[in-house]
Structure formats: structure tokens, C-alpha cells
Amino acid sequence: MKTAYRNIYSVLKLNRLVVISVVILAMVSSGFSGWMVYNIYKEAINSSFAVNTDGSVIPLKWVKQKENMEVEALAHLELFHTYFYNIDASNYKSNLDKALWLGNSSVDDLYRQKKADGVYNRLIQYSLVQKVLSIESEVDLSVEPYLFRTKTIFEINRGTITDTYELISTGNIILVDRNYPNNTHGLLITNYFEESLKKLNYEN
């Protein structure tokens, strides 16, 4: 009897060991399979595929969206600030019309405020020339809508006198549908705000 019980106990112990081994092996196999699937997924989202005329599959590498977005955003901001601030009596209407396509109501509100304050009337009356000298922008692409900060240096030529100013503007950029030729980058400036404006004094 003792021998029989001892044999049953040994068999149960062996079965338990086998079950535990199978479970551990299954868990390791599942973990490895999950890791392989994740790697395949990462490779897949960085590539697309096209079918050639002979039926073969051609891998096409995608351009990194963040790098592309930064280029587009900086170009969009430079275009907007050039249109909005590089103006004179002959081009201000066409330039402002183009600038308004690149921003939302916050840009339009600023334009209407400047118009009500007589900025553009003085431009015509005194034949002023407002010329943009440089535009430097910083864009935070970590969270959408993307926050930007732009420093624009421009000068106002009043004939015998030329004054230079530094404008700091801020706002956000959102993605919209591209509109050729009015909004070629497919971006829109929102919450636009002229944060500060100061006159620069250059010593001769």
C-alpha cells in the first residue's frame, strides 16, 4: 500500500511539474510573439507599399511627419508675417488679403482693429513703406494645436527718417485642408496675438 501511494504521489508531482513547465513555456512564447508583432507594427507604420506593374511589391519609406511639419510650419509663419507686415501704399490690400487666408478670425480681428485705428490710412497718406527685415519663429510640435512664437524685425521708412522695430507675436497652428494657391501649406494660424512691439535704436 505504501508503495502504491508513493507511486501516485510521484505521478502527481511529475504532472504538476509538467503543467507548470507548459504554462511557463506558453507565457514566454506569448511574450516573444507579442514582442515580434510590436516590432513588425513599428516597421509597418514607417513604410508603405506599392504594387509595381509586374506585380512586385515596392516598399516606400514615409517622410517623418514631424520633420515635414516643422518645415511647413516655419514656412507658413514666414509667409504670413511677410504678407501682414511687409506692406506699402501700393501692395497692402493684396498682401493683407493673402495674409487673411493664412489665419482665422484672430488675424481678421487684428486687421480690423488696425484699420479702425487708421494704420493703413496713414500708410497711404504719408506714403510709408513698411519693410520686413527678418523673421525668426519657434514652433512646439509636441501637442496640437502647435504653439509658436515669432520675432519679426521690420523698418518703417518715412522718407528722411527710417525707424526699426521688433515685434514679438504668438499663437497656435492647426492643420486644415490645403487650398491652392491661397493656403498651400494646409495650416491655419489661431489665437494670434501681438505680444510686444519695441523700437530698436541702432548707433551709427
Side-chain angles (χ1 to χ4, degrees):
M1 295 294 293
K2 290 182 179 180
T3 302
Y5 280 124
R6 186 180 297 109
N7 289 339
I8 293 174
Y9 178 76
S10 299
V11 170
L12 292 176
K13 186 176 181 180
L14 179 62
N15 287 345
R16 181 183 179 188
L17 182 62
V18 170
V19 170
I20 292 176
S21 300
V22 170
V23 170
I24 292 175
L25 183 62
M27 291 177 64
V28 172
S29 177
S30 298
F32 180 75
S33 299
W35 178 75
M36 289 293 295
V37 169
Y38 177 71
N39 282 343
I40 293 172
Y41 169 75
K42 283 177 64 178
E43 291 180 4
I45 63 174
N46 288 325
S47 303
S48 61
F49 300 89
V51 179
N52 201 358
T53 53
D54 59 0
S56 61
V57 177
I58 306 173
L60 303 174
K61 288 293 183 182
W62 284 355
V63 177
K64 291 183 180 179
Q65 290 187 356
K66 184 169 287 188
E67 293 178 357
N68 189 50
M69 174 58 67
E70 183 177 8
V71 173
E72 296 259 20
L74 293 176
H76 186 83
L77 290 170
E78 183 171 358
L79 192 62
F80 167 76
H81 286 83
T82 299
Y83 282 147
F84 203 75
Y85 297 104
N86 198 86
I87 55 177
D88 56 39
S90 63
N91 70 7
Y92 82 95
K93 286 186 177 179
S94 61
N95 276 13
L96 291 173
D97 284 343
K98 294 174 183 177
L100 291 176
W101 275 97
L102 307 179
N104 72 345
S105 58
S106 62
V107 174
D108 185 62
D109 290 343
L110 179 61
Y111 160 71
R112 292 179 184 276
Q113 179 185 335
K114 289 178 178 289
K115 186 176 182 180
D117 292 340
V119 172
Y120 306 119
N121 286 337
R122 289 193 295 272
L123 193 75
I124 299 172
Q125 184 179 356
Y126 299 108
S127 299
L128 304 179
V129 177
Q130 185 169 293
K131 181 181 179 181
V132 171
L133 302 178
S134 66
I135 300 170
E136 298 178 6
S137 298
E138 297 176 354
V139 184
D140 182 2
L141 299 177
S142 59
V143 180
E144 190 180 353
Y146 309 122
L147 181 67
F148 74 84
R149 184 178 186 273
T150 301
K151 180 174 72 174
T152 305
I153 306 294
F154 64 91
E155 63 181 18
I156 299 180
N157 189 314
R158 297 180 173 87
T160 58
I161 301 176
T162 300
D163 295 322
T164 306
Y165 297 88
E166 177 189 278
L167 171 70
I168 303 297
S169 55
T170 59
N172 298 98
I173 291 179
I174 61 174
L175 296 169
V176 295
D177 291 334
R178 295 179 189 268
N179 185 319
Y180 296 95
N182 298 311
N183 190 335
T184 56
H185 297 290
L187 300 171
L188 195 71
I189 294 172
T190 65
N191 301 319
Y192 186 69
F193 179 65
E194 292 183 341
E195 187 175 283
S196 66
L197 177 66
K198 68 178 182 180
K199 185 177 178 181
L200 301 179
N201 295 319
Y202 294 108
E203 296 182 1
N204 295 328

